[in-house]
């Protein structure tokens, strides 16, 4: 919403001049979000043909057989039949798939919900290593910063490139990313048959800057450290400590390859005590550092060039 808001007016005036938006619902009563904030719809979901896009905003996944009311499913199907593009933010793709509106389309899912999607929709293979996916009149994204970049794509299409860059700059997003750019933390495709191990891997991915110890992970999931280490060994062939280290190093490699952050910054972001520890571990586990990051100062100047280009 902020990308649209900032693109719609001069400065951050928020007037709906260059683009407009409405919150639709089958009812006009406030909708309680998962965090407790109520959202007030301002239009009934009735006639979809007047909209350029319809966006389904995903919420928390729950063990409920129905996430969308039947009237909203009918509304979306009518929209799809009339050619209105459908957009799914984060878990909104679950709703579109449940409604049968993603058949024959590629879709993007957050790496965090990759397994949830595959388990719910057997035989599917969602894309969880990209920020967003545009497949004809279906646009799906990973959520988070992926939502901002997908919105910027739409602004670029219909309002202009300058408006899209302006929105991201004001939001302190210093460069435009494409759909094919990787999701943060998504470059480590560790899949384990043991559900607890998979949850532990997700837990480690979420805490890369302050990596949890094996004991902390074990306590979180209610088992002993010895049980955790045994289950990791069976499921992955490695200890929790080494799996966590690989996750952090491979994410560090992704940041290194981008070349817009110093090696010191990357070492800190991936939970290593200092630069030499990160570099030594990376060379031991992964190999030589990417050429773009052979010089710390070079990384910093590249970052400066990127920011200058966007501000221009």
């Amino acid at each position: 919403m902020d990308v649209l808001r900032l693109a719609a007016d001069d400065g951050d005036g928020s007037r709906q001049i260059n683009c407009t938006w409405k919150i639709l619902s089958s009812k006009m009563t406030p909708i309680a979000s998962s965090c407790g904030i109520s959202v007030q719809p301002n239009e009934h979901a009735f006639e979809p043909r007047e909209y350029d896009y319809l966006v389904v905003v995903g919420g928390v996944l729950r063990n409920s057989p129905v996430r969308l009311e039947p009237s909203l499913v009918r509304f979306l199907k009518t929209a799809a039949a009339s050619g209105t593009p459908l957009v799914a933010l984060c878990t909104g793709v679950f709703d579109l798939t449940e409604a049968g509106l993603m058949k024959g389309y590629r879709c993007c899912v957050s790496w965090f919900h990759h397994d949830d999607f595959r388990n719910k929709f057997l035989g599917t293979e969602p894309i969880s290593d990209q920020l967003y996916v545009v497949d004809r009149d279906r646009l799906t994204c990973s959520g988070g910063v992926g939502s901002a970049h997908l919105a910027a794509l739409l602004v670029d299409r219909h309002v202009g490139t300058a408006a899209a860059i302006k929105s991201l700059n004001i939001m302190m997003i210093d460069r435009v990313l494409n759909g094919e750019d990787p999701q943060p933390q998504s470059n480590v495709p560790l899949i384990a048959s043991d559900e607890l191990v998979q949850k532990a891997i997700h837990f480690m991915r979420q805490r890369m800057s302050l990596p949890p110890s094996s004991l902390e992970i074990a306590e979180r999931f209610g088992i002993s450290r010895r049980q955790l280490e045994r289950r990791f060994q069976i499921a992955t062939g490695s200890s929790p400590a080494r799996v966590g280290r690989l996750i952090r190093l491979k994410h560090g490699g992704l940041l290194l390859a981008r070349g817009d952050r110093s090696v010191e910054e990357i070492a800190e972001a991936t939970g290593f005590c200092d630069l030499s520890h990160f570099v030594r571990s990376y060379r031991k586990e992964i190999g030589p550092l990417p050429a773009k990051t052979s010089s710390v100062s070079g990384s910093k100047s590249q970052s400066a060039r990127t920011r200058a280009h966007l501000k221009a």
Side-chain angles (χ1 to χ4, degrees), residues 33-291:
S33 68
S34 60
C35 69
I37 295 176
S38 292
V39 179
Q40 177 63 56
N42 50 24
E43 190 163 303
H44 280 287
F46 177 69
E47 175 54 66
R49 290 184 178 85
E50 63 179 280
Y51 302 109
D52 296 307
Y53 298 88
L54 283 171
V55 182
V56 177
V57 182
V60 173
L61 294 179
R62 303 188 188 280
N63 295 323
S64 171
V66 178
R67 285 169 52 89
L68 283 181
E69 297 177 11
S71 61
L72 289 178
V73 172
R74 290 193 296 271
F75 174 75
L76 290 170
K77 287 184 175 180
T78 301
S82 69
T84 303
L86 303 182
V87 182
L89 300 189
C90 194
T91 56
V93 70
F94 283 73
D95 301 308
L96 291 185
T97 305
E98 184 72 44
L101 290 165
M102 293 302 298
K103 291 180 180 177
Y105 289 91
R106 296 180 301 121
C107 70
C108 179
V109 175
S110 164
W111 63 264
F112 188 79
H113 294 301
H114 178 93
D115 294 344
D116 296 315
F117 192 90
R118 293 186 67 199
N119 291 337
K120 184 172 180 62
F121 305 109
L122 299 178
T124 61
E125 192 54 53
I127 296 169
S128 56
D129 60 353
Q130 294 183 198
L131 279 178
Y132 60 82
V133 170
V134 177
D135 189 354
R136 294 159 289 167
D137 55 357
R138 297 292 187 276
L139 301 86
T140 54
C141 77
S142 56
V145 70
S147 303
H149 286 289
L150 178 54
L153 171 72
L154 301 184
V155 170
D156 182 75
R157 281 182 179 179
H158 302 285
V159 183
T161 302
I165 293 176
K166 168 210 164 186
S167 293
L168 295 179
N169 276 341
I170 295 177
M171 292 174 67
M172 299 184 186
I173 298 175
D174 65 354
R175 61 180 182 145
V176 179
L177 298 179
N178 298 313
E180 295 77 15
D181 281 299
Q183 297 176 23
Q185 306 180 21
S186 69
N187 64 315
V188 190
L190 286 170
I191 304 298
S193 56
D194 187 319
E195 184 177 353
L196 183 142
V197 171
Q198 190 63 55
K199 288 181 179 179
I201 289 172
H202 286 322
F203 181 65
M204 288 189 282
R205 280 173 164 166
Q206 291 176 294
R207 290 158 178 79
M208 281 196 284
S209 60
L210 292 171
S213 67
S214 294
L215 180 59
E216 290 171 326
I217 298 170
E219 289 177 346
R220 176 178 177 83
F221 293 102
I223 62 174
S224 69
R225 185 173 66 180
R226 188 171 180 179
Q227 286 176 308
L228 178 76
E229 291 173 346
R230 183 166 60 248
R231 291 175 71 161
F232 258 81
Q233 193 64 42
I234 293 171
T236 70
S238 296
S239 67
R242 184 167 186 270
V243 169
R245 187 166 61 253
L246 284 172
I247 287 173
R248 293 184 288 124
L249 287 170
K250 289 190 176 182
H251 183 59
L254 173 66
L255 298 178
L256 288 169
R258 289 178 178 173
D260 59 358
R261 297 174 69 175
S262 72
V263 186
E264 287 99 332
E265 290 173 329
I266 293 170
E268 182 179 0
T270 52
F272 288 88
C273 59
D274 54 41
L275 173 62
S276 62
H277 184 205
F278 170 76
V279 172
R280 187 168 61 251
S281 299
Y282 191 93
R283 287 173 174 162
K284 179 180 178 182
E285 296 281 4
I286 310 296
L289 272 66

